[in-house]
Amino acid sequence: MDDISLTTTSEDGFDTQSVIGDFALAIDPMEETGPNPVAVLVADYASCFLPAVRVGAQKAGYDDLGQMEIDASATLNDEDHLDAIEFTLKVEADVEDPDELAALGEEECHVHAALREGLHADITVEDDAF
């Protein structure tokens, strides 16, 4: 049995509707009915990385980090393939070693582990951000 299953449908044109359990996600490379697939990949990565930082920090004995946010950006090459991803991780708490948070997130994030090494996000951490 698969651990993850979903159905993605395109009735016409280029836009798609992915149904994952009880959730539907519209994705459109033309960006008319939803975000493009590469933007969704970057959002998926950030959406995995943020809670991964919390999990890693809890395991490492950190106190509550408070509000956190990732500003993500990506660059495409001449063929519109994903070339680089950058994260700025903003953390409400004042932490002694902000770079350790990035390492903890990298250890716990399943999307990070799934991407080829050359495409892993370059991460900047801004603590005491809120």
Side-chain angles (χ1 to χ4, degrees), residues 96-125:
E96 188 173 319
D97 185 3
D99 291 335
E100 183 182 25
L101 293 180
L104 292 169
E106 289 172 344
E107 289 174 16
E108 298 291 333
C109 179
H110 300 295
V111 174
H112 180 84
L115 294 174
R116 60 183 163 84
E117 186 174 333
L119 191 54
H120 287 168
D122 291 325
I123 304 158
T124 303
V125 178

Side-chain angles (χ1 to χ4, degrees), residues 17-72:
Q17 186 85 346
S18 294
V19 177
I20 309 163
D22 293 334
F23 303 99
L25 178 63
I27 303 172
D28 181 1
M30 306 309 286
E31 297 183 320
E32 294 172 358
T33 61
N36 72 61
V38 176
V40 172
L41 175 64
V42 174
D44 288 342
Y45 191 178
S47 295
C48 179
F49 198 87
L50 204 56
V53 170
R54 279 200 198 278
V55 168
Q58 286 176 348
K59 287 180 178 179
Y62 277 80
D63 290 332
D64 182 24
L65 296 174
Q67 181 177 339
M68 295 194 313
E69 177 178 289
I70 288 180
D71 290 331

Side-chain angles (χ1 to χ4, degrees), residues 9 17 33 46 61 83 85 101 103 118 124 126 130:
T9 306
Q17 186 85 346
T33 61
D83 196 42
I85 301 171
L101 293 180
T124 303
E126 294 178 3
F130 303 98

